[in-house]
Amino acid sequence: MTRVPADTGKRPYAHLAEHLTALRHAARLPQRALAQAASISRGTVQRAESGTAAPTPAVLAAYVRACRGREEDLDRARLLLARGRTAQRDRLRDIGAPHPTLIHTAGDLGAALAAAYEQAGAPPLRSLNLRDQTRLPLTTASRIVKRTVLPATVEQMVTFLTACKVPPAQQRPYIDAYHRITRNRRTRPAPPRARRTSQRVHPGTLTHYDTAALAAGLKTFAAAIGRMDVSPEKFAPGVEAALAVSRSLDQEAHRNGRSLSEHLAAGLENVARALPRYRPPAW
């Protein structure tokens, strides 16, 4: 009969090992017979009962079934496995999360969510998406765990907490804090720099374009105009508008301490040279 070592200080899965060993003893099975019944090796059984290594979920389920354990026994084993994983990672002290009822800031909420993840045994991020729950993108889940973002919606947070085994009755403090924090964010004034930009720049999507590609297109456009036997008057309004927008953007960039892309400026200059008679005097 293999005894569980008495010293549990360096064995993060000691309580799980005690639970599994008790199930095996109750089933009156030696390790070899249990290994045969569970279709696992005896070495796997020994490691599971050592308290130093975590059995996989599949091994855990096979072990409990071989011992003729109940569903409650398997649930207990999974809980102890998660607690052992938390002890092994030993990150809760560094997180320093407040109790959920004491969440006041976005940083508090981020720490509380990260702590819930650690207390759940840091499950694989892909397992955080549950059936009948709002989908939580993998990148968002990763950033929540790293405390760089909060969930985008309350529904995403509920998905995260549910996957971390936080019972619905205990999720209310998180939800209340989320509403309070996001409401304050919506009413808080914008930073000075963002406010200046919103007043001066038309709300377009120019910053989302690839300026190098845009410059290349302008160069091609300029070359094509030079080869076309078409009255330039047809191009005048569009060219003048494009140059005016460019000049406005250049002035705005200068006010904000930035400069237009050299590629973009070169492309616009090619257009201007192609149609010199429609080049605005102030340019």
Side-chain angles (χ1 to χ4, degrees):
M1 181 183 299
T2 302
R3 291 185 177 274
V4 177
D7 180 15
T8 60
K10 297 182 179 179
R11 298 186 304 122
Y13 301 97
H15 295 298
L16 174 62
E18 293 171 358
H19 177 62
L20 295 178
T21 304
L23 289 176
R24 181 170 63 80
H25 290 170
R28 300 179 180 274
L29 290 172
Q31 287 185 343
R32 191 181 302 278
L34 173 62
Q36 292 176 349
S39 299
I40 56 180
S41 68
R42 184 181 180 186
T44 300
V45 174
Q46 291 174 333
R47 285 191 295 274
E49 294 184 0
S50 71
T52 58
T56 65
V59 167
L60 200 65
Y63 189 112
V64 174
R65 283 197 301 267
C67 293
R68 298 183 293 278
R70 299 167 300 174
E71 191 64 29
E72 294 83 355
D73 297 322
L74 181 57
D75 290 341
R76 176 68 177 171
R78 287 169 175 162
L79 175 63
L80 295 175
L81 177 66
R83 290 179 178 175
R85 176 71 171 156
T86 299
Q88 185 179 49
R89 288 167 64 87
D90 193 25
R91 296 183 182 180
L92 283 176
R93 288 179 296 180
D94 295 333
I95 293 175
H99 189 273
T101 59
L102 299 177
I103 296 173
H104 295 294
T105 66
D108 289 345
L109 180 56
L113 292 174
Y117 175 78
E118 290 297 327
Q119 290 167 347
L125 295 179
R126 294 186 183 278
S127 69
L128 296 182
N129 280 305
L130 305 174
R131 186 176 300 176
D132 300 327
Q133 292 282 345
T134 299
R135 183 178 178 276
L136 181 63
L138 186 61
T139 54
T140 302
S142 176
R143 291 170 181 170
I144 293 172
V145 170
K146 294 176 182 177
R147 291 186 284 170
T148 59
V149 300
L150 293 178
T153 63
V154 171
E155 290 75 18
Q156 281 191 359
M157 188 173 67
V158 169
T159 295
F160 184 88
L161 292 171
T162 304
C164 291
K165 309 301 182 185
V166 178
Q170 298 178 18
Q171 294 179 10
R172 175 50 56 183
Y174 297 89
I175 295 173
D176 291 342
Y178 184 89
H179 284 306
R180 187 169 58 252
I181 291 167
T182 54
R183 182 171 60 247
N184 292 338
R185 281 183 169 183
R186 284 193 293 268
T187 58
R188 187 167 53 200
R193 187 186 185 94
R195 188 163 56 245
R196 286 199 306 269
T197 300
S198 64
Q199 291 172 351
R200 292 171 181 167
V201 178
H202 188 274
T205 58
L206 185 62
T207 55
H208 296 166
Y209 288 100
D210 183 348
T211 54
L214 180 57
L218 289 171
K219 290 179 181 179
T220 303
F221 175 65
I225 291 175
R227 295 193 300 267
M228 293 175 66
D229 186 16
V230 179
S231 174
E233 284 80 2
K234 294 184 178 180
F235 296 99
V239 172
E240 289 182 1
L243 293 175
V245 170
S246 173
R247 183 167 62 253
S248 175
L249 288 174
D250 184 63
Q251 292 171 353
E252 176 61 30
H254 179 73
R255 283 195 296 267
N256 285 278
R258 301 188 298 270
S259 62
L260 283 176
S261 165
E262 292 180 359
H263 296 294
L264 178 58
L268 292 170
E269 190 64 28
N270 281 345
V271 174
R273 281 197 293 266
L275 294 172
R277 62 180 292 188
Y278 296 104
R279 187 175 183 175
W283 182 260

